[in-house]
Amino acid sequence: MAKIKAAVIFGGTAREHDLSLASAAEVISSIPRDKYEVICIGITRKGRWLYFPGDAESIADGTWDQDPDCTSAFISPDPLHRGIITIENGETSLKKIDVVFPILMGKRCGDGTIQGLLDLSGIPYVGSGVLASASCTDKSHTHMVMDDYDIKTAQWRLITQREINYLDKKCSEISSELGFPLVVKPANSGSNAGVSFAHNSEELLAAVKLAFSSDNKVVIEKYISGRKLEAAVYGYDSPFCSAIGEINSPDIPYDPNNFNVSTGDDLTIPADLPKDIEEKARETAVTAFKALGCKGMARADMFLTDSGELLLNKIGTMPGLRKNSVFPRLMEELGYSHDELIDGLMEQAMDNADRTY
């Protein structure tokens, strides 16, 4: 019986490049070779696509793109091809693909751009589609959908680039409505680049200007102090939620050089919660997943305030997939080994594609 040809795409031009490499290396190592033939496509920091025939260790240590056997490659948008075209010495060749695992995060990677290309190609792929990926990346869209579904989030306001000439006025209005402290974020930024706290008017204005350096929309949220809860949502037609975990870390300022604050080492599963809060958190995660149109998998971040109020922080459609990352650890608590999780995601993607295409 022929093996399933699975392409793993990793890297990318976003700040999350290194996180992508770390996840991809462990995913590739976990793909069962008796069932799958693995084809690796890496995207360099400058956006060059390369077919990579080497091993996972070179991906993990970041030296993969120095391999002399790398060749230019790209996914053909033509559904007739349904595969990857490689270019070597002026000659092209086609590698047919059955399923793609796009382990890409951040802008121009996990925000629906790659998903759009894969939709054009007609190749099944793991995870959410264009709209859900874009909506979860864009924090203002996430807020708007949650507001429509009566899912509580932090109080928020939006400033667009068209209002940039009136920043003093807008910042004054927002601070009067929300009060301090505030968290200022570029609307589209997978990492904490451009994210900062504001405790007064001067800091708010500076934070908004900094956020505009990363995106043309800025989201301002009321700072939430509380417990940090995590949930893994898995599936397509009938998504289900894991047990609720808790990140046991103190409140620290956002560090743009360390945006992946939780490595999974500081995660407690299950979180010590009253039964009603646990059920509410799981319900909130699944409802948000469905409302945003997510598929396959997502990590839901939530806050439990000191007053007992549950607030959704964000939904990540491409969570970290190292064995010790939050999403795999939560799924492991349900009995899914890393190998089973990766295999299941690709199987579901191929099953779902029968209806999508």
Side-chain angles (χ1 to χ4, degrees):
M1 185 175 179
K3 293 183 179 181
I4 298 168
K5 294 179 175 61
V8 178
I9 307 179
F10 58 87
T13 58
R15 286 178 51 85
E16 293 82 357
H17 183 94
D18 290 340
L19 293 179
S20 170
L21 299 188
S23 287
E26 295 201 24
V27 166
I28 290 166
S29 298
S30 290
I31 296 175
R33 294 307 196 273
D34 60 336
K35 181 176 178 180
Y36 296 92
E37 176 187 340
V38 180
I39 298 167
C40 298
I41 301 293
I43 304 175
T44 68
R45 295 181 190 275
K46 293 185 177 180
R48 189 181 179 201
W49 288 51
L50 298 171
Y51 165 66
F52 171 66
D55 54 37
E57 287 76 14
S58 297
I59 298 173
D61 65 23
T63 61
W64 68 273
D65 57 350
Q66 300 169 29
D67 191 308
D69 293 325
C70 283
T71 58
S72 292
F74 61 91
I75 291 176
S76 172
D78 188 338
L80 179 66
H81 295 147
R82 290 178 64 89
I84 293 169
I85 294 176
T86 59
I87 307 172
E88 187 172 11
N89 299 323
E91 299 290 327
T92 63
S93 61
L94 173 66
K95 297 180 184 295
K96 290 283 190 178
I97 299 298
D98 297 309
V99 63
V100 173
F101 205 134
I103 306 177
L104 297 166
M105 309 158 187
K107 295 178 73 171
R108 294 176 296 280
C109 291
D111 58 355
T113 50
I114 296 297
Q115 288 76 13
L117 173 60
L118 293 171
D119 279 340
L120 289 174
S121 76
I123 305 172
Y125 58 92
V126 172
S128 294
V130 175
L131 181 59
S133 299
S135 294
C136 290
T137 301
D138 188 320
K139 299 173 184 66
S140 65
H141 277 256
T142 301
H143 272 295
M144 283 186 269
V145 174
M146 296 304 97
D147 288 349
D148 194 49
Y149 276 78
D150 293 324
I151 295 176
K152 291 184 178 180
T153 62
Q155 290 178 277
W156 70 288
R157 297 293 183 271
L158 177 68
I159 301 179
T160 67
Q161 199 167 39
R162 292 175 180 173
E163 300 169 296
I164 203 164
N165 292 327
Y166 312 99
L167 284 186
D168 286 328
K169 179 181 178 183
K170 289 295 297 184
C171 289
S172 178
E173 291 174 351
I174 291 170
S175 61
S176 295
E177 291 179 51
L178 302 185
F180 291 105
L182 296 167
V183 183
V184 182
K185 308 174 180 180
N188 288 279
S189 176
S191 71
N192 282 344
V195 179
S196 50
F197 291 117
H199 300 87
N200 54 53
S201 298
E202 291 75 18
E203 289 183 1
L204 177 58
L205 186 60
V208 170
K209 290 178 179 179
L210 174 64
F212 268 123
S213 68
S214 297
D215 195 44
N216 60 7
K217 296 191 298 183
V218 173
V219 171
I220 301 174
E221 297 174 346
K222 178 70 176 175
Y223 171 74
I224 302 300
S225 176
R227 298 169 67 181
K228 302 169 186 176
L229 306 182
E230 302 288 348
V233 185
Y234 180 88
Y236 281 82
D237 294 331
S238 301
F240 59 87
C241 185
S242 68
I244 303 301
E246 180 174 5
I247 301 294
N248 302 297
S249 61
D251 284 341
I252 57 174
Y254 287 107
D255 178 358
N257 297 309
N258 183 28
F259 49 80
N260 190 35
V261 175
S262 174
T263 61
D265 292 323
D266 51 1
L267 182 68
T268 297
I269 312 172
D272 184 13
L273 298 169
K275 189 66 175 178
D276 61 327
I277 296 294
E278 179 191 4
E279 291 177 355
K280 178 65 174 177
R282 296 177 68 182
E283 177 188 345
T284 297
V286 172
T287 301
F289 184 93
K290 292 179 177 179
L292 289 159
C294 300
K295 297 179 180 179
M297 62 175 167
R299 169 180 162 179
D301 300 349
M302 292 167 279
F303 290 115
L304 180 63
T305 68
D306 297 336
S307 63
E309 187 176 31
L310 189 68
L311 302 175
L312 181 77
N313 181 34
K314 64 180 180 180
I315 295 282
T317 55
M318 181 49 66
L321 290 172
R322 290 166 293 175
K323 292 179 181 178
N324 199 43
S325 296
V326 172
F327 184 88
R329 282 202 56 199
L330 288 167
M331 292 301 295
E332 185 180 27
E333 189 73 11
L334 291 179
Y336 287 79
S337 69
H338 199 253
D339 293 11
E340 291 169 336
L341 176 62
I342 301 308
D343 181 28
L345 286 168
M346 290 193 287
E347 284 282 5
Q348 285 191 91
M350 290 184 285
D351 290 343
N352 182 69
D354 292 340
R355 288 162 289 165
T356 301
Y357 303 128

PDB file of all heavy atoms in Angstrom, residues 199-221:
ATOM      1  N   HIS A 199       0.396  53.036  31.821  1.00  0.00           N
ATOM      2  CA  HIS A 199      -0.116  53.366  33.151  1.00  0.00           C
ATOM      3  C   HIS A 199      -0.560  54.820  33.252  1.00  0.00           C
ATOM      4  O   HIS A 199      -1.117  55.232  34.276  1.00  0.00           O
ATOM      5  CB  HIS A 199       0.953  53.088  34.206  1.00  0.00           C
ATOM      6  CG  HIS A 199       1.396  51.655  34.236  1.00  0.00           C
ATOM      7  ND1 HIS A 199       2.409  51.175  33.424  1.00  0.00           N
ATOM      8  CD2 HIS A 199       0.947  50.599  34.963  1.00  0.00           C
ATOM      9  CE1 HIS A 199       2.573  49.877  33.664  1.00  0.00           C
ATOM     10  NE2 HIS A 199       1.709  49.522  34.584  1.00  0.00           N
ATOM     11  N   ASN A 200      -0.286  55.605  32.202  1.00  0.00           N
ATOM     12  CA  ASN A 200      -0.690  57.009  32.201  1.00  0.00           C
ATOM     13  C   ASN A 200      -0.792  57.483  30.751  1.00  0.00           C
ATOM     14  O   ASN A 200      -0.501  56.734  29.818  1.00  0.00           O
ATOM     15  CB  ASN A 200       0.307  57.871  32.999  1.00  0.00           C
ATOM     16  CG  ASN A 200       1.742  57.679  32.516  1.00  0.00           C
ATOM     17  OD1 ASN A 200       2.014  57.821  31.322  1.00  0.00           O
ATOM     18  ND2 ASN A 200       2.654  57.352  33.435  1.00  0.00           N
ATOM     19  N   SER A 201      -1.201  58.725  30.576  1.00  0.00           N
ATOM     20  CA  SER A 201      -1.466  59.250  29.231  1.00  0.00           C
ATOM     21  C   SER A 201      -0.214  59.280  28.367  1.00  0.00           C
ATOM     22  O   SER A 201      -0.268  58.978  27.156  1.00  0.00           O
ATOM     23  CB  SER A 201      -2.050  60.662  29.331  1.00  0.00           C
ATOM     24  OG  SER A 201      -3.286  60.646  30.022  1.00  0.00           O
ATOM     25  N   GLU A 202       0.910  59.638  28.958  1.00  0.00           N
ATOM     26  CA  GLU A 202       2.152  59.703  28.187  1.00  0.00           C
ATOM     27  C   GLU A 202       2.550  58.313  27.699  1.00  0.00           C
ATOM     28  O   GLU A 202       2.939  58.125  26.533  1.00  0.00           O
ATOM     29  CB  GLU A 202       3.280  60.305  29.030  1.00  0.00           C
ATOM     30  CG  GLU A 202       3.121  61.786  29.355  1.00  0.00           C
ATOM     31  CD  GLU A 202       2.063  62.052  30.423  1.00  0.00           C
ATOM     32  OE1 GLU A 202       1.688  61.104  31.161  1.00  0.00           O
ATOM     33  OE2 GLU A 202       1.599  63.204  30.519  1.00  0.00           O
ATOM     34  N   GLU A 203       2.458  57.327  28.577  1.00  0.00           N
ATOM     35  CA  GLU A 203       2.798  55.964  28.179  1.00  0.00           C
ATOM     36  C   GLU A 203       1.828  55.427  27.137  1.00  0.00           C
ATOM     37  O   GLU A 203       2.225  54.690  26.227  1.00  0.00           O
ATOM     38  CB  GLU A 203       2.808  55.047  29.404  1.00  0.00           C
ATOM     39  CG  GLU A 203       3.968  55.295  30.349  1.00  0.00           C
ATOM     40  CD  GLU A 203       3.977  54.317  31.515  1.00  0.00           C
ATOM     41  OE1 GLU A 203       3.092  53.436  31.577  1.00  0.00           O
ATOM     42  OE2 GLU A 203       4.873  54.446  32.372  1.00  0.00           O
ATOM     43  N   LEU A 204       0.570  55.818  27.251  1.00  0.00           N
ATOM     44  CA  LEU A 204      -0.431  55.344  26.290  1.00  0.00           C
ATOM     45  C   LEU A 204      -0.118  55.866  24.887  1.00  0.00           C
ATOM     46  O   LEU A 204      -0.144  55.105  23.914  1.00  0.00           O
ATOM     47  CB  LEU A 204      -1.822  55.788  26.723  1.00  0.00           C
ATOM     48  CG  LEU A 204      -2.966  55.428  25.759  1.00  0.00           C
ATOM     49  CD1 LEU A 204      -3.034  53.919  25.525  1.00  0.00           C
ATOM     50  CD2 LEU A 204      -4.303  55.941  26.299  1.00  0.00           C
ATOM     51  N   LEU A 205       0.179  57.134  24.776  1.00  0.00           N
ATOM     52  CA  LEU A 205       0.483  57.712  23.465  1.00  0.00           C
ATOM     53  C   LEU A 205       1.725  57.060  22.858  1.00  0.00           C
ATOM     54  O   LEU A 205       1.738  56.717  21.667  1.00  0.00           O
ATOM     55  CB  LEU A 205       0.685  59.221  23.599  1.00  0.00           C
ATOM     56  CG  LEU A 205       0.879  59.999  22.291  1.00  0.00           C
ATOM     57  CD1 LEU A 205      -0.319  59.834  21.375  1.00  0.00           C
ATOM     58  CD2 LEU A 205       1.147  61.478  22.585  1.00  0.00           C
ATOM     59  N   ALA A 206       2.743  56.856  23.688  1.00  0.00           N
ATOM     60  CA  ALA A 206       3.966  56.217  23.195  1.00  0.00           C
ATOM     61  C   ALA A 206       3.703  54.765  22.790  1.00  0.00           C
ATOM     62  O   ALA A 206       4.231  54.283  21.774  1.00  0.00           O
ATOM     63  CB  ALA A 206       5.052  56.278  24.276  1.00  0.00           C
ATOM     64  N   ALA A 207       2.872  54.064  23.551  1.00  0.00           N
ATOM     65  CA  ALA A 207       2.565  52.672  23.260  1.00  0.00           C
ATOM     66  C   ALA A 207       1.787  52.535  21.948  1.00  0.00           C
ATOM     67  O   ALA A 207       2.029  51.615  21.157  1.00  0.00           O
ATOM     68  CB  ALA A 207       1.767  52.054  24.409  1.00  0.00           C
ATOM     69  N   VAL A 208       0.857  53.460  21.719  1.00  0.00           N
ATOM     70  CA  VAL A 208       0.078  53.425  20.478  1.00  0.00           C
ATOM     71  C   VAL A 208       0.991  53.668  19.280  1.00  0.00           C
ATOM     72  O   VAL A 208       0.895  52.986  18.250  1.00  0.00           O
ATOM     73  CB  VAL A 208      -1.068  54.453  20.523  1.00  0.00           C
ATOM     74  CG1 VAL A 208      -1.726  54.604  19.147  1.00  0.00           C
ATOM     75  CG2 VAL A 208      -2.108  54.037  21.560  1.00  0.00           C
ATOM     76  N   LYS A 209       1.882  54.617  19.391  1.00  0.00           N
ATOM     77  CA  LYS A 209       2.826  54.892  18.297  1.00  0.00           C
ATOM     78  C   LYS A 209       3.708  53.674  18.028  1.00  0.00           C
ATOM     79  O   LYS A 209       3.992  53.334  16.873  1.00  0.00           O
ATOM     80  CB  LYS A 209       3.678  56.110  18.635  1.00  0.00           C
ATOM     81  CG  LYS A 209       2.901  57.422  18.618  1.00  0.00           C
ATOM     82  CD  LYS A 209       3.785  58.606  19.004  1.00  0.00           C
ATOM     83  CE  LYS A 209       3.003  59.911  18.968  1.00  0.00           C
ATOM     84  NZ  LYS A 209       3.855  61.072  19.365  1.00  0.00           N
ATOM     85  N   LEU A 210       4.142  53.010  19.095  1.00  0.00           N
ATOM     86  CA  LEU A 210       4.964  51.807  18.928  1.00  0.00           C
ATOM     87  C   LEU A 210       4.168  50.708  18.230  1.00  0.00           C
ATOM     88  O   LEU A 210       4.672  50.036  17.319  1.00  0.00           O
ATOM     89  CB  LEU A 210       5.440  51.306  20.296  1.00  0.00           C
ATOM     90  CG  LEU A 210       6.201  49.975  20.293  1.00  0.00           C
ATOM     91  CD1 LEU A 210       7.503  50.103  19.517  1.00  0.00           C
ATOM     92  CD2 LEU A 210       6.467  49.497  21.720  1.00  0.00           C
ATOM     93  N   ALA A 211       2.910  50.527  18.623  1.00  0.00           N
ATOM     94  CA  ALA A 211       2.084  49.489  18.020  1.00  0.00           C
ATOM     95  C   ALA A 211       1.842  49.759  16.537  1.00  0.00           C
ATOM     96  O   ALA A 211       1.796  48.835  15.722  1.00  0.00           O
ATOM     97  CB  ALA A 211       0.751  49.384  18.765  1.00  0.00           C
ATOM     98  N   PHE A 212       1.709  51.038  16.181  1.00  0.00           N
ATOM     99  CA  PHE A 212       1.508  51.383  14.777  1.00  0.00           C
ATOM    100  C   PHE A 212       2.731  51.049  13.918  1.00  0.00           C
ATOM    101  O   PHE A 212       2.622  50.950  12.697  1.00  0.00           O
ATOM    102  CB  PHE A 212       1.154  52.863  14.627  1.00  0.00           C
ATOM    103  CG  PHE A 212      -0.322  53.142  14.631  1.00  0.00           C
ATOM    104  CD1 PHE A 212      -0.880  54.008  15.565  1.00  0.00           C
ATOM    105  CD2 PHE A 212      -1.165  52.545  13.708  1.00  0.00           C
ATOM    106  CE1 PHE A 212      -2.245  54.268  15.580  1.00  0.00           C
ATOM    107  CE2 PHE A 212      -2.527  52.790  13.712  1.00  0.00           C
ATOM    108  CZ  PHE A 212      -3.072  53.652  14.644  1.00  0.00           C
ATOM    109  N   SER A 213       3.881  50.859  14.538  1.00  0.00           N
ATOM    110  CA  SER A 213       5.063  50.475  13.767  1.00  0.00           C
ATOM    111  C   SER A 213       4.976  49.028  13.298  1.00  0.00           C
ATOM    112  O   SER A 213       5.734  48.606  12.415  1.00  0.00           O
ATOM    113  CB  SER A 213       6.336  50.668  14.605  1.00  0.00           C
ATOM    114  OG  SER A 213       6.383  49.742  15.684  1.00  0.00           O
ATOM    115  N   SER A 214       4.032  48.253  13.861  1.00  0.00           N
ATOM    116  CA  SER A 214       3.877  46.849  13.483  1.00  0.00           C
ATOM    117  C   SER A 214       2.621  46.570  12.675  1.00  0.00           C
ATOM    118  O   SER A 214       2.515  45.533  12.029  1.00  0.00           O
ATOM    119  CB  SER A 214       3.858  45.960  14.741  1.00  0.00           C
ATOM    120  OG  SER A 214       5.085  46.031  15.435  1.00  0.00           O
ATOM    121  N   ASP A 215       1.633  47.478  12.725  1.00  0.00           N
ATOM    122  CA  ASP A 215       0.376  47.228  12.025  1.00  0.00           C
ATOM    123  C   ASP A 215      -0.353  48.551  11.812  1.00  0.00           C
ATOM    124  O   ASP A 215       0.000  49.566  12.432  1.00  0.00           O
ATOM    125  CB  ASP A 215      -0.500  46.262  12.836  1.00  0.00           C
ATOM    126  CG  ASP A 215      -1.646  45.679  12.017  1.00  0.00           C
ATOM    127  OD1 ASP A 215      -1.408  45.287  10.858  1.00  0.00           O
ATOM    128  OD2 ASP A 215      -2.776  45.630  12.519  1.00  0.00           O
ATOM    129  N   ASN A 216      -1.363  48.544  10.940  1.00  0.00           N
ATOM    130  CA  ASN A 216      -2.120  49.777  10.689  1.00  0.00           C
ATOM    131  C   ASN A 216      -3.376  49.885  11.533  1.00  0.00           C
ATOM    132  O   ASN A 216      -4.186  50.776  11.323  1.00  0.00           O
ATOM    133  CB  ASN A 216      -2.450  49.908   9.196  1.00  0.00           C
ATOM    134  CG  ASN A 216      -3.291  48.756   8.686  1.00  0.00           C
ATOM    135  OD1 ASN A 216      -3.746  47.908   9.464  1.00  0.00           O
ATOM    136  ND2 ASN A 216      -3.476  48.683   7.378  1.00  0.00           N
ATOM    137  N   LYS A 217      -3.544  48.951  12.464  1.00  0.00           N
ATOM    138  CA  LYS A 217      -4.634  49.017  13.441  1.00  0.00           C
ATOM    139  C   LYS A 217      -4.062  48.693  14.819  1.00  0.00           C
ATOM    140  O   LYS A 217      -3.199  47.821  14.951  1.00  0.00           O
ATOM    141  CB  LYS A 217      -5.746  48.026  13.102  1.00  0.00           C
ATOM    142  CG  LYS A 217      -6.466  48.295  11.803  1.00  0.00           C
ATOM    143  CD  LYS A 217      -7.720  47.436  11.657  1.00  0.00           C
ATOM    144  CE  LYS A 217      -7.422  45.953  11.639  1.00  0.00           C
ATOM    145  NZ  LYS A 217      -8.643  45.139  11.429  1.00  0.00           N
ATOM    146  N   VAL A 218      -4.570  49.386  15.826  1.00  0.00           N
ATOM    147  CA  VAL A 218      -4.087  49.173  17.194  1.00  0.00           C
ATOM    148  C   VAL A 218      -5.269  48.876  18.104  1.00  0.00           C
ATOM    149  O   VAL A 218      -6.278  49.599  18.090  1.00  0.00           O
ATOM    150  CB  VAL A 218      -3.324  50.411  17.710  1.00  0.00           C
ATOM    151  CG1 VAL A 218      -2.967  50.252  19.187  1.00  0.00           C
ATOM    152  CG2 VAL A 218      -2.066  50.642  16.884  1.00  0.00           C
ATOM    153  N   VAL A 219      -5.152  47.814  18.880  1.00  0.00           N
ATOM    154  CA  VAL A 219      -6.167  47.436  19.851  1.00  0.00           C
ATOM    155  C   VAL A 219      -5.697  47.844  21.249  1.00  0.00           C
ATOM    156  O   VAL A 219      -4.553  47.564  21.629  1.00  0.00           O
ATOM    157  CB  VAL A 219      -6.437  45.916  19.815  1.00  0.00           C
ATOM    158  CG1 VAL A 219      -7.333  45.494  20.981  1.00  0.00           C
ATOM    159  CG2 VAL A 219      -7.088  45.535  18.488  1.00  0.00           C
ATOM    160  N   ILE A 220      -6.565  48.510  21.974  1.00  0.00           N
ATOM    161  CA  ILE A 220      -6.269  48.911  23.354  1.00  0.00           C
ATOM    162  C   ILE A 220      -7.242  48.183  24.270  1.00  0.00           C
ATOM    163  O   ILE A 220      -8.458  48.259  24.086  1.00  0.00           O
ATOM    164  CB  ILE A 220      -6.395  50.430  23.527  1.00  0.00           C
ATOM    165  CG1 ILE A 220      -5.428  51.149  22.578  1.00  0.00           C
ATOM    166  CG2 ILE A 220      -6.132  50.827  24.983  1.00  0.00           C
ATOM    167  CD1 ILE A 220      -5.583  52.661  22.584  1.00  0.00           C
ATOM    168  N   GLU A 221      -6.699  47.471  25.241  1.00  0.00           N
ATOM    169  CA  GLU A 221      -7.526  46.669  26.138  1.00  0.00           C
ATOM    170  C   GLU A 221      -7.317  47.096  27.584  1.00  0.00           C
ATOM    171  O   GLU A 221      -6.212  47.487  27.979  1.00  0.00           O
ATOM    172  CB  GLU A 221      -7.176  45.186  26.025  1.00  0.00           C
ATOM    173  CG  GLU A 221      -7.438  44.583  24.662  1.00  0.00           C
ATOM    174  CD  GLU A 221      -6.947  43.150  24.564  1.00  0.00           C
ATOM    175  OE1 GLU A 221      -6.168  42.715  25.451  1.00  0.00           O
ATOM    176  OE2 GLU A 221      -7.333  42.473  23.600  1.00  0.00           O
TER     177      GLU A 221
END
